Amino acid sequence: LIGYAKRRSGVQVIGPRRFGKTSLLKCLESHFNNLENSDIYPLYIDFTEVASDVVGTANVYRYLISLVVSKISSEKLFDSAEQFRGVVISPSIYWEDTYEELKDTSGARLQEILKEVILFFSDLIDKTFLFLFDEYEYLFKYGFDQPTGFTTLRNFSSKLNKHGKNPF
């Protein structure tokens, strides 16, 4: 999994319940967080925690934007409001603040904002975001209106950041 992450390749871990998939993802997150000079920025995401609240493709993207902003803010890497696609996003360590801030933003616009947010922060910290989705089937069951919502997310990685790295 570390090799896949370093090559910026997507991979899926499948297995029976209680076999350690979550532990594996959390270990991977810890590995990259503790690795000196790592150019990978891991973000562990468990949709089971918010499955009943984050329903619909637009809300999934709102949530992902909110998680990125809260993690970057909590590490004091984002300290002043920025504009993305005409929407001002303020730093906050609470994902709920950003989620509320984006409540009137359309789904298509949120997808573009997520791309810009990832590219902006990837440039800012000079790292590639590694989304570690746990229980991602909840995205399909409760989150996305259609499976194409995930396809759009997977295609984010085609543009390089200003450092010549894949941002996602």
Side-chain angles (χ1 to χ4, degrees), residues 11 21 49 63 67 72 81 84 94 97 104 113 135-136 165:
V11 66
K21 298 178 301 294
E49 298 170 358
Y63 181 62
L67 287 178
I72 296 285
F84 301 93
Y94 304 105
D97 292 344
D104 296 324
I113 290 171
E135 307 292 348
Y136 80 97
K165 294 181 183 170

mmCIF file of all heavy atoms in Angstrom, residues 11 21 49 63 67 72 81 84 94 97 104 113 135-136 165:
data_model
loop_
_atom_site.group_PDB
_atom_site.id
_atom_site.type_symbol
_atom_site.label_atom_id
_atom_site.label_comp_id
_atom_site.label_asym_id
_atom_site.label_seq_id
_atom_site.Cartn_x
_atom_site.Cartn_y
_atom_site.Cartn_z
ATOM 1 N N VAL A 11 -5.870 2.143 -5.057
ATOM 2 C CA VAL A 11 -5.937 0.729 -4.712
ATOM 3 C C VAL A 11 -7.114 0.536 -3.759
ATOM 4 O O VAL A 11 -7.502 1.445 -3.041
ATOM 5 C CB VAL A 11 -4.611 0.244 -4.075
ATOM 6 C CG1 VAL A 11 -4.361 0.896 -2.740
ATOM 7 C CG2 VAL A 11 -4.569 -1.256 -3.956
ATOM 8 N N LYS A 21 -8.948 -4.146 8.122
ATOM 9 C CA LYS A 21 -8.849 -3.163 7.029
ATOM 10 C C LYS A 21 -8.749 -1.736 7.590
ATOM 11 O O LYS A 21 -7.914 -0.947 7.147
ATOM 12 C CB LYS A 21 -10.047 -3.287 6.086
ATOM 13 C CG LYS A 21 -10.159 -4.631 5.389
ATOM 14 C CD LYS A 21 -11.378 -4.726 4.497
ATOM 15 C CE LYS A 21 -12.687 -4.536 5.201
ATOM 16 N NZ LYS A 21 -13.054 -5.563 6.173
ATOM 17 N N GLU A 49 -19.413 7.406 10.102
ATOM 18 C CA GLU A 49 -19.621 8.377 11.175
ATOM 19 C C GLU A 49 -20.652 9.432 10.806
ATOM 20 O O GLU A 49 -21.268 10.027 11.670
ATOM 21 C CB GLU A 49 -18.296 9.051 11.530
ATOM 22 C CG GLU A 49 -17.255 8.091 12.054
ATOM 23 C CD GLU A 49 -15.878 8.712 12.176
ATOM 24 O OE1 GLU A 49 -15.702 9.896 11.819
ATOM 25 O OE2 GLU A 49 -14.966 8.006 12.629
ATOM 26 N N TYR A 63 -18.686 17.717 2.310
ATOM 27 C CA TYR A 63 -18.024 17.067 3.437
ATOM 28 C C TYR A 63 -16.529 16.903 3.178
ATOM 29 O O TYR A 63 -15.705 17.190 4.054
ATOM 30 C CB TYR A 63 -18.694 15.718 3.706
ATOM 31 C CG TYR A 63 -18.120 14.961 4.872
ATOM 32 C CD1 TYR A 63 -18.169 15.469 6.166
ATOM 33 C CD2 TYR A 63 -17.526 13.720 4.681
ATOM 34 C CE1 TYR A 63 -17.649 14.763 7.239
ATOM 35 C CE2 TYR A 63 -17.012 13.004 5.753
ATOM 36 C CZ TYR A 63 -17.070 13.538 7.021
ATOM 37 O OH TYR A 63 -16.548 12.840 8.084
ATOM 38 N N LEU A 67 -13.552 18.467 5.380
ATOM 39 C CA LEU A 67 -12.511 17.679 6.055
ATOM 40 C C LEU A 67 -11.112 18.185 5.712
ATOM 41 O O LEU A 67 -10.248 18.283 6.585
ATOM 42 C CB LEU A 67 -12.633 16.209 5.687
ATOM 43 C CG LEU A 67 -13.786 15.435 6.301
ATOM 44 C CD1 LEU A 67 -13.784 13.997 5.802
ATOM 45 C CD2 LEU A 67 -13.727 15.464 7.814
ATOM 46 N N ILE A 72 -6.212 20.845 7.507
ATOM 47 C CA ILE A 72 -5.175 21.841 7.203
ATOM 48 C C ILE A 72 -5.208 22.972 8.237
ATOM 49 O O ILE A 72 -4.165 23.439 8.690
ATOM 50 C CB ILE A 72 -5.366 22.399 5.774
ATOM 51 C CG1 ILE A 72 -5.178 21.308 4.728
ATOM 52 C CG2 ILE A 72 -4.456 23.580 5.498
ATOM 53 C CD1 ILE A 72 -3.752 20.897 4.493
ATOM 54 N N ALA A 81 -8.915 33.451 5.083
ATOM 55 C CA ALA A 81 -9.953 33.056 4.119
ATOM 56 C C ALA A 81 -9.429 33.120 2.688
ATOM 57 O O ALA A 81 -8.618 33.995 2.346
ATOM 58 C CB ALA A 81 -11.173 33.941 4.280
ATOM 59 N N PHE A 84 -12.654 30.325 -3.644
ATOM 60 C CA PHE A 84 -12.617 29.235 -4.607
ATOM 61 C C PHE A 84 -13.904 29.275 -5.413
ATOM 62 O O PHE A 84 -14.985 29.142 -4.844
ATOM 63 C CB PHE A 84 -12.499 27.880 -3.892
ATOM 64 C CG PHE A 84 -11.280 27.752 -3.018
ATOM 65 C CD1 PHE A 84 -11.335 28.065 -1.674
ATOM 66 C CD2 PHE A 84 -10.074 27.335 -3.555
ATOM 67 C CE1 PHE A 84 -10.216 27.949 -0.874
ATOM 68 C CE2 PHE A 84 -8.944 27.216 -2.772
ATOM 69 C CZ PHE A 84 -9.012 27.532 -1.422
ATOM 70 N N TYR A 94 -13.132 22.870 12.719
ATOM 71 C CA TYR A 94 -14.366 22.095 12.770
ATOM 72 C C TYR A 94 -14.941 21.940 11.373
ATOM 73 O O TYR A 94 -15.316 22.933 10.746
ATOM 74 C CB TYR A 94 -15.393 22.762 13.690
ATOM 75 C CG TYR A 94 -14.854 22.988 15.073
ATOM 76 C CD1 TYR A 94 -14.484 24.256 15.497
ATOM 77 C CD2 TYR A 94 -14.679 21.915 15.949
ATOM 78 C CE1 TYR A 94 -13.970 24.462 16.756
ATOM 79 C CE2 TYR A 94 -14.158 22.115 17.218
ATOM 80 C CZ TYR A 94 -13.804 23.389 17.612
ATOM 81 O OH TYR A 94 -13.278 23.585 18.867
ATOM 82 N N ASP A 97 -18.243 23.759 10.397
ATOM 83 C CA ASP A 97 -18.257 25.186 10.039
ATOM 84 C C ASP A 97 -18.177 25.370 8.527
ATOM 85 O O ASP A 97 -18.955 26.128 7.939
ATOM 86 C CB ASP A 97 -17.079 25.924 10.691
ATOM 87 C CG ASP A 97 -17.203 26.014 12.204
ATOM 88 O OD1 ASP A 97 -18.311 25.785 12.741
ATOM 89 O OD2 ASP A 97 -16.173 26.304 12.843
ATOM 90 N N ASP A 104 -25.265 26.580 0.484
ATOM 91 C CA ASP A 104 -26.030 27.087 -0.656
ATOM 92 C C ASP A 104 -25.288 26.936 -1.984
ATOM 93 O O ASP A 104 -25.672 27.531 -2.991
ATOM 94 C CB ASP A 104 -26.394 28.561 -0.434
ATOM 95 C CG ASP A 104 -27.325 28.737 0.757
ATOM 96 O OD1 ASP A 104 -28.181 27.855 0.965
ATOM 97 O OD2 ASP A 104 -27.174 29.738 1.480
ATOM 98 N N ILE A 113 -14.961 23.171 -6.764
ATOM 99 C CA ILE A 113 -14.319 23.759 -5.577
ATOM 100 C C ILE A 113 -13.400 22.741 -4.921
ATOM 101 O O ILE A 113 -12.280 23.078 -4.529
ATOM 102 C CB ILE A 113 -15.378 24.295 -4.585
ATOM 103 C CG1 ILE A 113 -16.057 25.533 -5.175
ATOM 104 C CG2 ILE A 113 -14.737 24.620 -3.232
ATOM 105 C CD1 ILE A 113 -17.262 26.023 -4.369
ATOM 106 N N GLU A 135 -14.797 2.136 4.759
ATOM 107 C CA GLU A 135 -16.220 1.862 4.584
ATOM 108 C C GLU A 135 -16.790 2.667 3.417
ATOM 109 O O GLU A 135 -17.866 3.246 3.504
ATOM 110 C CB GLU A 135 -16.995 2.167 5.876
ATOM 111 C CG GLU A 135 -16.457 1.497 7.114
ATOM 112 C CD GLU A 135 -16.613 -0.017 7.133
ATOM 113 O OE1 GLU A 135 -17.349 -0.558 6.295
ATOM 114 O OE2 GLU A 135 -15.977 -0.651 7.992
ATOM 115 N N TYR A 136 -16.045 2.698 2.324
ATOM 116 C CA TYR A 136 -16.465 3.526 1.200
ATOM 117 C C TYR A 136 -17.784 3.076 0.580
ATOM 118 O O TYR A 136 -18.430 3.834 -0.135
ATOM 119 C CB TYR A 136 -15.360 3.632 0.137
ATOM 120 C CG TYR A 136 -15.268 2.447 -0.779
ATOM 121 C CD1 TYR A 136 -15.881 2.470 -2.015
ATOM 122 C CD2 TYR A 136 -14.573 1.311 -0.400
ATOM 123 C CE1 TYR A 136 -15.804 1.376 -2.858
ATOM 124 C CE2 TYR A 136 -14.497 0.213 -1.226
ATOM 125 C CZ TYR A 136 -15.113 0.256 -2.461
ATOM 126 O OH TYR A 136 -15.044 -0.824 -3.281
ATOM 127 N N LYS A 165 3.741 18.028 -9.097
ATOM 128 C CA LYS A 165 3.280 16.805 -8.429
ATOM 129 C C LYS A 165 1.779 16.630 -8.632
ATOM 130 O O LYS A 165 1.048 17.597 -8.819
ATOM 131 C CB LYS A 165 3.564 16.874 -6.925
ATOM 132 C CG LYS A 165 5.026 16.871 -6.589
ATOM 133 C CD LYS A 165 5.216 16.927 -5.093
ATOM 134 C CE LYS A 165 6.703 16.988 -4.764
ATOM 135 N NZ LYS A 165 6.925 17.275 -3.365
#
